[in-house]
Amino acid sequence: MSVFASQFASPLYLPVLLVVILILSQSIKMVNEYERVVIFRLGRLSGVKGPGIFLIIPIVDKAMKIDLRVVAIDVPKQAVITKDNVTVEVDAVVYYKVVEPGAAITQVENYMFATSTLSQTTLRDVMGQMELDELLSERESINKQIQELLDAYTDPWGIKVTGVTIRDVSLPETMKRAIAKQAEAEREKRARIILAEGEFQAAQKMKEAASLYEGTPTAIKLRELQTLAEIAREKNLIVVTQTQSVETGNIAAISRALSERKGQ
């Protein structure tokens, strides 16, 4: 009897072993540190597994793998009409990651496509409420505002928006020329203001110098002689002075007489 049983079992041993190996191969799963697996058992959410090795029930369980690393979305150029009716093309990058794998699978059909589409819409909405000058000068605040809005929209999906960066703002050629003219006019305005301030300061100094010369008449004659000496350094110039001008000694004598008269 035992011999008959052993002869009957030997043909079944190999198929059973193959079935067991096949079941184990389908039951044993392994995911990396940055991955998670969402398990559905008979259509219902059973839980999230990973990282490492875990077991599932073949046929009964369905596993869906989710990557938890940060994903960068290259938002294509969007044509935006600003608040002051200027059409610009904006290119941005959005960074996000999945923080709740179960919600990312059950709350939205395709979280990657949904996040990408939402990024484009939010980018147009936010920039359409701003003027061109704000768009060009306040990129940091715009990035933060778009990030906060996206994070609020995607939070029920189990997605965290970690950053938004406006990469490029393209202006029409006519607008570029207008901005260049505006910048040139602004620089010319500053140059004229600086020149006028210099003239004003020079006039003040000349006024003070004239007051000093008025109190000391000989000083202006000495200044005149100093100027003539400086001019004389140029060998190719002819300097013509007034011959009937009062001599320095006479000026000094008159000044001394006036001083003595005031002292009496």
Side-chain angles (χ1 to χ4, degrees), residues 4 25-26 29 37 71 79 81 84 101 151 174 186-187 234 244 247:
F4 177 77
S25 65
Q26 296 296 321
K29 300 293 182 180
V37 172
V71 179
I81 300 177
D84 48 353
D151 197 28
T174 55
E186 186 67 24
R187 288 194 297 268
E234 300 294 333
Q244 297 179 356
E247 295 181 356

Side-chain angles (χ1 to χ4, degrees), residues 106-124:
T106 59
Q107 298 299 321
V108 61
E109 180 180 1
N110 187 335
Y111 68 89
M112 292 184 178
F113 176 76
T115 305
S116 177
T117 306
L118 182 62
S119 301
Q120 299 177 26
T121 306
T122 307
L123 185 68
R124 290 195 299 267

Side-chain angles (χ1 to χ4, degrees), residues 6-190:
S6 61
Q7 291 178 352
F8 180 76
S10 57
L12 296 178
Y13 178 76
L14 185 59
V16 172
L17 181 61
L18 292 176
V19 170
V20 171
I21 293 175
L22 180 62
I23 293 175
L24 289 177
S25 65
Q26 296 296 321
S27 300
I28 299 175
K29 300 293 182 180
M30 183 182 68
V31 293
N32 297 319
E33 181 67 30
Y34 53 85
E35 294 175 328
R36 298 294 185 273
V37 172
V38 180
I39 305 297
F40 289 91
R41 181 162 296 167
L42 297 178
R44 298 180 63 86
L45 179 63
S46 175
V48 179
K49 301 291 185 179
I53 298 176
F54 57 92
L55 296 175
I56 64 172
I57 303 174
I59 301 175
V60 176
D61 291 345
K62 179 182 179 182
M64 301 184 68
K65 188 184 295 185
I66 298 293
D67 196 325
L68 302 185
R69 291 177 293 183
V70 175
V71 179
I73 301 176
D74 186 5
V75 181
K77 284 190 175 182
Q78 303 293 310
V80 179
I81 300 177
T82 61
K83 191 175 181 180
D84 48 353
N85 297 322
V86 178
T87 302
V88 297
E89 291 185 349
V90 183
D91 185 12
V93 179
V94 177
Y95 302 92
Y96 74 92
K97 65 179 180 179
V98 178
V99 293
E100 295 182 12
I105 296 297
T106 59
Q107 298 299 321
V108 61
E109 180 180 1
N110 187 335
Y111 68 89
M112 292 184 178
F113 176 76
T115 305
S116 177
T117 306
L118 182 62
S119 301
Q120 299 177 26
T121 306
T122 307
L123 185 68
R124 290 195 299 267
D125 292 343
V126 172
M127 294 192 171
Q129 300 174 2
M130 297 185 176
E131 296 184 355
L132 180 61
D133 292 339
E134 297 179 67
L135 189 61
L136 296 176
S137 60
E138 300 182 4
R139 289 195 181 186
E140 292 296 331
S141 61
I142 296 174
N143 291 340
K144 185 176 181 181
Q145 184 176 354
I146 296 175
Q147 177 184 349
E148 291 176 353
L149 289 175
L150 286 175
D151 197 28
Y153 287 139
T154 59
D155 184 66
W157 303 344
I159 295 174
K160 172 68 177 178
V161 178
T162 59
V164 176
T165 303
I166 298 175
R167 188 164 54 183
D168 184 29
V169 178
S170 301
L171 300 176
E173 291 298 328
T174 55
M175 184 56 60
K176 289 181 180 179
R177 289 194 292 268
I179 292 176
K181 290 181 180 179
Q182 181 182 1
E184 183 179 357
E186 186 67 24
R187 288 194 297 268
E188 185 177 355
K189 172 186 173 182
R190 290 198 296 267

